[in-house]
């Protein structure tokens, strides 16, 4: 089994999400999240998604709440790409953010394919 890492995300209202990522790509999701948060305030569209904030990154996860489970990294990035692709932005160059999201998406797809996990 390949080594995995986890990114802890916190929604505005305090809910937590755990995203399971290949250890080799976890930092990229954390960095992407920080960049997206930095740029969100510059977007002028009315349908900008609420983005949880990355608050921790760790290697092992033992969830004690049986109602919680980690989200797969590729699933999370796919949903992130869909939500940003749906933004109707006229004045901010959204394409640069989408390019970063899609680059990580492509890397994850390749990783999961290489690991025969798709």
């Amino acid at each position: 089994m390949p080594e995995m890492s986890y990114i802890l995300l916190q929604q505005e209202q305090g809910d937590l999400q755990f995203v399971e990522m290949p250890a080799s790509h976890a930092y990229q999701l954390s960095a992407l999240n920080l960049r997206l948060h930095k740029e969100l305030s510059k977007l002028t569209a009315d349908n900008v998604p609420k983005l949880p904030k990355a608050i921790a990154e760790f290697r092992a996860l033992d969830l004690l709440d049986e109602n919680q489970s980690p989200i797969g990294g590729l699933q999370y990035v796919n949903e992130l790409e869909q939500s940003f692709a749906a933004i109707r932005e006229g004045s901010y160059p959204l394409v640069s953010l989408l390019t970063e999201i899609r680059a990580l998406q492509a890397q994850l797809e390749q990783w999961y394919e290489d690991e025969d996990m798709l």
Side-chain angles (χ1 to χ4, degrees):
M1 179 85 184
E3 187 175 1
M4 303 301 276
S5 288
Y6 300 87
I7 310 300
L8 176 60
L9 302 173
Q10 185 174 30
Q11 300 282 355
E12 266 185 25
Q13 63 273 30
D15 295 340
L16 300 176
Q17 290 179 298
F18 302 90
V19 179
E20 182 180 63
M21 292 287 289
S24 57
H25 293 77
Y27 177 77
Q28 288 175 271
L29 179 58
S30 297
L32 176 62
N33 181 274
L34 294 173
R35 168 131 162 75
L36 292 174
H37 269 282
K38 182 178 170 185
E39 302 299 323
L40 277 179
S41 63
K42 298 175 185 175
L43 299 176
T44 60
D46 60 355
N47 65 332
V48 175
K50 298 285 185 205
L51 187 64
K53 187 169 185 156
I55 58 173
E57 184 179 318
F58 41 96
R59 294 286 177 154
L61 177 64
D62 290 324
L63 286 172
L64 304 177
D65 182 349
E66 57 199 40
N67 296 318
Q68 293 281 339
S69 61
I71 300 164
L74 185 55
Q75 175 189 341
Y76 179 80
V77 173
N78 286 342
E79 291 170 4
L80 184 65
E81 191 276 338
Q82 289 171 0
S83 65
F84 272 79
I87 297 173
R88 296 177 304 276
E89 178 63 42
S91 52
Y92 181 82
L94 186 62
V95 70
S96 65
L97 298 179
L98 276 169
T99 299
E100 290 183 47
I101 294 169
R102 289 174 179 156
L104 179 55
Q105 187 179 37
Q107 290 175 22
L108 286 175
E109 286 171 352
Q110 184 64 51
W111 185 90
Y112 280 99
E113 191 174 294
D114 290 349
E115 294 293 327
D116 291 323
M117 296 178 71
L118 277 182

